């Protein structure tokens, strides 16, 4: 819609100078011009129901050489054996160093014996309970049962179960707790051994490591592999969301040169300040893969109220959108948001399905 306003600029055709006479004619002609004003228009977007996926983007840099720091997974244990020295070439899975495992192995043997005994006791108690319940049924099976017989049998079986309940619960708890202690001891033993996570060269080894005690935060060795092709990222907050059995897409390059490649998480046991992804594609453009982004989904909400991300604004800790009222005037509406996706935002309160907001 166009609206016109008429402007009246006075244009003097002749300029009066100091030497001009009083009878000099002045051109007082007027030129009319139309000023065009466009009414404000808004792009509206609907409030709909759909799926909102919350993404996490991992920034990676490609490296043809990989260095991995190694740490023990246990604290305050004596390191008794170091099997390599700096400069040694090692293979993946090779034992590099270990702690004093005799006490742990002894504890594991004792816990295995205790666990077996507790399981056997639980099995015997369960069999004994079932036997006593069967005997109670047999006592009432020789003659037709009256209502009093049924009531008496029920009470007898309840008393039998009650007599076993406490012992059964204690024994079951003992089995569970002993199993947890056994699993922890086995894990402790495993973390007390330092293995090579990849083929490579020992390029760092803690001085006088043998005879010292372990500290889970201390780097004791590092491996260097000059032939690795890895993407390395310091976005370690993504680690809990990554599945070592999954393959992920990494997007490299910009514009027309953008390419997608497959990568997989590797060396999870060594993740600390960095996380690593192995490039799975054999063919790739070396000029494109210098860096890339991996997008993973950390949360998802299905069939929820949502709106275009560009329509949601923030003021401090509150979020709001703009609506048009019945008179076409823009007004603010505060909303409660849920998941923030790449394009859509979950709306928990403040809007209804079918409404339109200003984008």
């Amino acid at each position: 819609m166009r609206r016109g306003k008429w402007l009246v600029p006075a244009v003097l055709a002749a300029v009066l100078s100091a030497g001009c006479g009083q009878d000099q004619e002045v051109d007082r002609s007027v030129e009319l011009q139309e000023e065009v004003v466009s009414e404000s228009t808004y792009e509206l977007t609907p409030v709909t129901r759909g799926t909102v996926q919350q993404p996490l983007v991992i920034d990676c840099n490609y490296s043809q050489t990989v260095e991995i720091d190694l740490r023990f997974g246990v604290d305050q244990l004596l390191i008794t054996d170091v099997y390599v020295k700096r400069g040694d070439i090692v293979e993946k899975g090779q034992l590099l160093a270990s702690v004093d495992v005799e006490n742990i192995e002894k504890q594991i043997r004792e816990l295995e014996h205790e666990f077996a005994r507790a399981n056997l006791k639980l099995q015997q108690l369960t069999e004994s309970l079932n036997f006593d319940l069967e005997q109670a049924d047999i006592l009432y099976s020789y003659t037709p049962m009256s209502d009093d017989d049924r009531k008496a049998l029920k009470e007898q079986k309840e008393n039998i179960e009650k007599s076993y309940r406490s012992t059964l619960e204690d024994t079951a708890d003992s089995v569970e707790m002993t199993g947890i202690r056994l699993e922890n001891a086995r894990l402790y033993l495993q973390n007390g051994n330092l293995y090579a996570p990849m083929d490579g060269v020992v390029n760092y080894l803690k001085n006088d490591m043998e005879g010292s005690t372990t500290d889970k935060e201390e780097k004791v060795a590092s491996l260097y592999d000059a032939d690795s092709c890895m993407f390395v990222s310091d976005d370690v907050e993504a680690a809990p969301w990554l599945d070592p059995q999954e393959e992920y897409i990494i997007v490299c390059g910009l514009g027309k040169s953008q390419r997608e490649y497959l990568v997989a998480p590797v060396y999870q046991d060594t993740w600390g300040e960095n996380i690593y992804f192995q490039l799975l594609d054999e063919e790739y453009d070396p000029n494109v893969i210098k860096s890339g982004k991996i997008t993973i989904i950390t949360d998802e909400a299905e069939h929820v109220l949502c709106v275009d991300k560009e329509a949601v604004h923030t003021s401090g800790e509150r979020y709001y959108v703009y609506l048009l009222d019945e008179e076409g005037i823009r007004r603010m509406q505060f909303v409660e948001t849920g998941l923030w996706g790449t394009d859509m935002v979950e709306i928990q309160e403040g809007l209804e399905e079918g409404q339109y907001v200003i984008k």
Side-chain angles (χ1 to χ4, degrees):
M1 180 176 179
R2 296 163 62 91
R3 295 184 300 178
K5 290 184 180 179
W6 298 101
L7 303 181
V8 189
V11 181
L12 297 179
V15 179
L16 299 178
S17 62
C20 293
Q22 293 295 327
D23 56 350
Q24 190 83 13
E25 290 186 3
V26 177
D27 185 354
R28 299 184 182 276
S29 61
V30 175
E31 179 183 358
L32 300 179
Q33 296 178 336
E34 184 183 23
E35 179 187 18
V36 179
V37 179
S38 298
E39 288 189 345
S40 298
T41 58
Y42 299 106
E43 181 181 354
L44 301 180
T45 184
V47 181
T48 61
R49 287 197 175 273
T51 299
V52 179
Q53 293 181 325
Q54 183 170 278
L56 176 61
V57 179
I58 307 170
D59 292 307
C60 301
N61 291 314
Y62 182 73
S63 176
Q64 290 183 313
T65 59
V66 173
E67 181 176 339
I68 296 180
D69 296 335
L70 304 180
R71 296 170 175 82
F72 280 101
V74 290
D75 281 322
Q76 300 302 313
L77 287 182
L78 179 66
I79 302 173
T80 56
D81 297 286
V82 179
Y83 305 104
V84 294
K85 61 183 183 297
R86 188 171 181 176
D88 282 356
I89 299 174
V90 297
E91 296 180 352
K92 180 179 179 179
Q94 182 174 335
L95 182 61
L96 308 180
S98 60
V99 300
D100 182 7
V101 298
E102 289 187 7
N103 288 333
I104 302 177
E105 289 176 340
K106 179 181 178 181
Q107 181 184 6
I108 289 175
R109 289 193 297 270
E110 292 174 350
L111 287 171
E112 287 174 340
H113 179 66
E114 184 179 342
F115 184 70
R117 287 184 59 188
N119 260 317
L120 180 60
K121 182 179 179 181
L122 181 62
Q123 180 182 349
Q124 291 173 340
L125 283 170
T126 303
E127 291 175 353
S128 179
L129 169 61
N130 292 334
F131 177 80
D132 288 348
L133 292 174
E134 290 174 2
Q135 290 297 112
D137 285 328
I138 292 173
L139 289 175
Y140 288 87
S141 64
Y142 296 108
T143 58
M145 293 181 65
S146 64
D147 289 341
D148 290 339
D149 291 336
R150 292 189 182 92
K151 183 178 179 180
L153 175 60
K154 181 180 178 182
E155 290 179 354
Q156 184 177 351
K157 294 176 76 171
E158 287 177 351
N159 289 331
I160 292 172
E161 290 176 341
K162 184 178 180 180
S163 67
Y164 277 90
R165 186 176 299 130
S166 177
T167 307
L168 274 172
E169 289 177 353
D170 290 344
T171 307
D173 289 343
S174 177
V175 170
E176 182 179 1
M177 295 304 299
T178 305
I180 292 173
R181 291 168 57 199
L182 178 59
E183 185 63 27
N184 288 338
R186 288 170 175 167
L187 184 61
Y188 211 70
L189 178 62
Q190 178 183 342
N191 291 333
N193 290 323
L194 197 68
Y195 295 97
M198 66 176 183
D199 297 343
V201 178
V202 180
N203 63 322
Y204 168 79
L205 205 63
K206 175 186 173 183
N207 291 331
D208 301 322
M209 180 163 59
E210 189 171 326
S212 65
T213 56
T214 59
D215 180 348
K216 290 192 292 187
E217 303 300 322
E218 181 184 19
K219 180 179 78 171
V220 295
S222 62
L223 294 183
Y224 176 83
D225 185 1
D227 298 323
S228 296
C229 296
M230 296 288 163
F231 283 98
V232 184
S233 174
D234 59 3
D235 294 331
V236 294
E237 69 276 8
W241 309 104
L242 294 169
D243 185 345
Q245 306 301 322
E246 289 288 332
E247 296 178 354
Y248 296 89
I249 294 175
I250 187 168
V251 180
C252 302
L254 298 171
K256 294 182 179 180
S257 65
Q258 190 176 89
R259 298 290 184 273
E260 292 183 353
Y261 299 102
L262 283 178
V263 295
V266 289
Y267 310 145
Q268 288 88 342
D269 292 342
T270 66
W271 288 1
E273 297 177 357
N274 294 311
I275 53 180
Y276 303 92
F277 298 88
Q278 183 177 9
L279 179 62
L280 301 179
D281 295 78
E282 295 183 358
E283 296 184 3
Y284 55 87
D285 185 344
N287 296 316
V288 172
I289 65 169
K290 294 179 180 179
S291 62
K293 295 180 181 293
I294 301 171
T295 302
I296 59 176
I297 303 302
T298 60
D299 203 351
E300 182 178 79
E302 296 181 345
H303 196 61
V304 294
L305 209 62
C306 55
V307 71
D308 193 296
K309 189 175 181 178
E310 294 185 12
V312 184
H313 312 279
T314 179
S315 174
E317 296 182 354
R318 302 189 69 182
Y319 296 97
Y320 63 93
V321 297
Y322 285 113
L323 302 171
L324 289 180
D325 63 17
E326 294 179 354
E327 298 178 356
I329 298 175
R330 187 182 73 165
R331 67 178 179 84
M332 180 189 294
Q333 173 67 44
F334 285 102
V335 295
E336 295 289 336
T337 63
L339 295 183
W340 284 69
T342 304
D343 302 312
M344 305 295 287
V345 178
E346 178 188 1
I347 302 297
Q348 297 178 335
E349 289 184 15
L351 294 175
E352 295 180 359
E353 185 177 1
Q355 285 185 291
Y356 282 83
V357 297
I358 298 173
K359 185 175 178 181

